Amino acid sequence: MGSKLQSYLVTHLAVSNKVRKAAILDRKGGIWAISEGFQLSYEEQTAAIDAVQDIYQMAVSGLTLNGQEYGTAHVSDDILHMVKHGGGAILVKTEKSLVVAVYESPVQQVEASPIVEGMADYLLSIGY
């Protein structure tokens, strides 16, 4: 599973040119795929997974990813949009996984979101 998802992630990011870095996490813990240079500590992974378990709580607390602090911009049942100066992050949960993606200016959330949501849709289509 890991190498197939890793290949998908790398190819999808290269084609999109909108998402800078991304990871696919197992919602039970662990990394299934991650882009080069994206460092998510165990604490950051756990916080991201916890965030989507109680997504509306994140509206208050924010999140750290790759050592960068993000504030909450918008939440829905399965999607968490985070912002920081010069970019943002999007987290989309599926049944078994969590897609975590980071974008940087000049890319805007509306450009990056369909890419990340597309990755989540793909994961759902293959049972994750």
Side-chain angles (χ1 to χ4, degrees):
M1 171 182 48
S3 64
K4 180 179 178 181
L5 289 179
Q6 183 67 35
S7 177
Y8 171 78
L9 178 75
V10 170
T11 301
H12 201 71
L13 293 180
V15 170
S16 78
N17 201 29
K18 300 292 180 190
V19 174
R20 184 77 165 157
K21 298 174 184 173
I24 300 171
L25 306 180
D26 182 333
R27 286 185 51 196
K28 293 181 181 178
I31 298 173
W32 286 345
I34 192 162
S35 60
E36 187 175 336
F38 198 26
Q39 302 293 321
L40 293 176
S41 69
Y42 175 79
E43 292 79 13
E44 290 173 343
Q45 293 172 47
T46 302
I49 292 165
D50 289 347
V52 298
Q53 302 301 352
D54 187 5
I55 208 158
Y56 292 99
Q57 176 61 31
M58 284 312 303
V60 178
S61 59
L63 195 59
T64 300
L65 300 169
N66 202 43
Q68 301 290 312
E69 295 288 328
Y70 292 84
T72 305
H74 181 293
V75 296
S76 67
D77 290 338
D78 296 327
I79 304 170
L80 179 58
H81 293 280
M82 312 292 291
V83 293
K84 73 172 187 76
H85 181 71
I90 302 166
L91 286 73
V92 182
K93 71 178 178 176
T94 69
E95 186 174 328
K96 297 179 183 176
S97 66
L98 173 64
V99 179
V100 179
V102 172
Y103 60 91
E104 296 176 358
S105 293
V107 175
Q108 299 294 309
Q109 175 266 317
V110 296
E111 298 171 288
S113 193
I115 306 305
V116 182
E117 291 175 36
M119 285 194 274
D121 288 344
Y122 170 73
L123 290 168
L124 283 167
S125 77
I126 61 170
Y128 295 110

